[in-house]
Amino acid sequence: MGVIALDCDDCFATWRDQARRLLGHGIDPAEVTWSQGPMDDLLAVPEALPEGPGPFHARVPAALLAQLEQAGRYRGEQRWNLLYEVLWRVAHGDRTAMLAGDRLGSELQRRIKQVGREAHHLHAFVRFVPLPAALAEHLQLDLVAYHEPAHDILDSASGHFAERLGRQRWLIATPRDGVRYDGTSLEYQRRCPEAWQQWARTAEDPDAELWLTYYRHTFNPARLNPDALRQHLPGRFWRHLPEGPLIPQLVGQARHGKQRDGQAREVAQQRGKQISASPARPVRSPSSKA
């Protein structure tokens, strides 16, 4: 039996239309695949997507469609196949496929969680660079940023900046897509224009040195927890942060004895009282015995 091999171009709207047609014609998930490259099954014979709507009309909860759209932003193996398996089961009366206690539901919820976490990373780790007045006027942009998200969250999560930056004009470019805000409306491009990427990657922050000085002097080696640092600030983001090149250096200094000072080296060398890194003594409650 042949396999229907589809390509939705990693677009949820395209996948939804394909999945609706497959579902209407009763195509089992085992008989369809969304390829992300050459088909692995050499014995499979690709078949065409059925024409027109099929006889089966399924009603699925709106909550499921929202979950599928969110999970569809996840980049990984079986990206679209999993969504169709969940849709198939729910459409045939098995709503446990949406729940974390189910095998498929557990993976669905894990992907939704990962996508949400990546949106948080976008909000936390994007660093906008202000453009010089002449260049800003020429490009009609005030701020630019370059970011490399692990999942396709730019379209859904970039409105966060429009709400917070007022009428400033800004641009976020990624290796895949990009978004531009002109002060009133967002323009999203699924294929980021090369010019956008060039502007974002080559912009020079005029206040970078001031920020690096502040970051060095406020770094507290005595309170460093490398595991917590990497958990909350994954290393893959460091290269696009202005302070990124400093982090390995500061972590290395802390590991080689600088943790005895509760302040940066430059601060400790200045005149004044040194802050000890020794742990504070516990505070006794009024009822404690001496």
Side-chain angles (χ1 to χ4, degrees):
M1 181 175 63
V3 173
I4 299 176
L6 301 172
D7 182 0
C8 64
D9 194 27
D10 287 339
C11 176
F12 179 78
T14 302
W15 173 86
R16 181 182 58 198
D17 292 340
Q18 294 171 343
R20 182 184 293 118
R21 192 181 303 180
L22 292 168
L23 195 63
H25 285 274
I27 306 297
D28 188 276
E31 301 173 14
V32 61
T33 183
W34 278 266
S35 61
Q36 293 173 274
M39 290 185 62
D40 296 329
D41 189 352
L42 298 180
L43 300 179
V45 179
E47 294 186 356
L49 183 69
E51 293 289 340
F56 178 66
H57 298 284
R59 295 181 64 87
V60 297
L64 173 63
L65 294 179
Q67 290 184 356
L68 293 177
E69 183 173 9
Q70 183 76 345
R73 303 183 188 280
Y74 178 88
R75 299 178 196 160
E77 295 183 358
Q78 300 296 307
R79 175 174 180 174
W80 303 103
N81 290 64
L82 177 107
L83 302 190
Y84 185 60
E85 288 188 62
V86 173
L87 177 63
W88 172 271
R89 282 180 48 184
V90 174
H92 288 81
D94 184 5
R95 296 198 177 192
T96 60
M98 301 170 56
L99 306 178
D102 180 82
R103 176 185 64 85
L104 288 179
S106 176
E107 176 62 16
L108 179 73
Q109 297 303 324
R110 186 191 72 82
R111 295 185 182 190
I112 291 174
K113 184 177 180 179
Q114 289 295 316
V115 167
R117 182 173 177 80
E118 198 63 22
H120 168 72
H121 286 159
L122 176 78
H123 300 159
F125 303 136
V126 158
R127 294 293 186 270
F128 285 104
V129 176
L131 296 177
L135 184 59
E137 181 63 26
H138 175 66
L139 300 181
Q140 292 296 294
L141 285 170
D142 302 306
L143 308 167
V144 295
Y146 191 80
H147 189 68
E148 294 189 17
H151 305 296
D152 294 332
I153 47 80
L154 185 64
D155 184 23
S156 60
S158 56
H160 167 90
F161 300 105
E163 296 172 357
R164 286 159 175 77
L165 295 177
R167 298 183 65 85
Q168 292 191 86
R169 302 162 301 179
W170 49 265
L171 164 75
I172 302 175
T174 83
R176 297 173 64 130
D177 52 2
V179 63
R180 178 172 182 163
Y181 185 67
D182 64 4
T184 57
S185 61
L186 287 166
E187 176 191 355
Y188 175 71
Q189 296 281 350
R190 293 193 66 239
R191 302 286 185 271
C192 186
E194 292 186 9
W196 289 15
Q197 293 188 4
Q198 182 72 9
W199 300 341
R201 300 195 71 159
T202 59
E204 296 185 4
D205 188 348
D207 299 319
E209 191 56 39
L210 180 62
W211 164 246
L212 294 179
T213 300
Y214 170 81
Y215 191 86
R216 274 197 306 269
H217 285 72
T218 56
F219 178 79
N220 187 341
R223 301 188 63 183
L224 175 67
N225 184 331
D227 293 335
L229 172 65
R230 290 185 177 274
Q231 178 182 356
H232 296 287
L233 178 54
R236 62 189 171 92
F237 294 115
W238 292 5
R239 60 179 174 171
H240 297 307
L241 296 175
E243 67 273 21
L246 288 180
I247 297 176
Q249 174 188 352
L250 295 173
V251 171
Q253 290 176 356
R255 285 176 170 172
H256 289 84
K258 296 302 180 183
Q259 288 185 327
R260 65 177 179 271
D261 299 327
Q263 56 204 157
R265 180 179 57 184
E266 293 89 342
V267 177
Q269 291 175 344
Q270 296 182 16
R271 297 178 60 184
K273 184 178 179 180
Q274 186 179 45
I275 302 174
S276 174
S278 58
R281 297 180 62 182
V283 178
R284 295 179 181 273
S285 65
S287 61
S288 301
K289 295 183 180 179

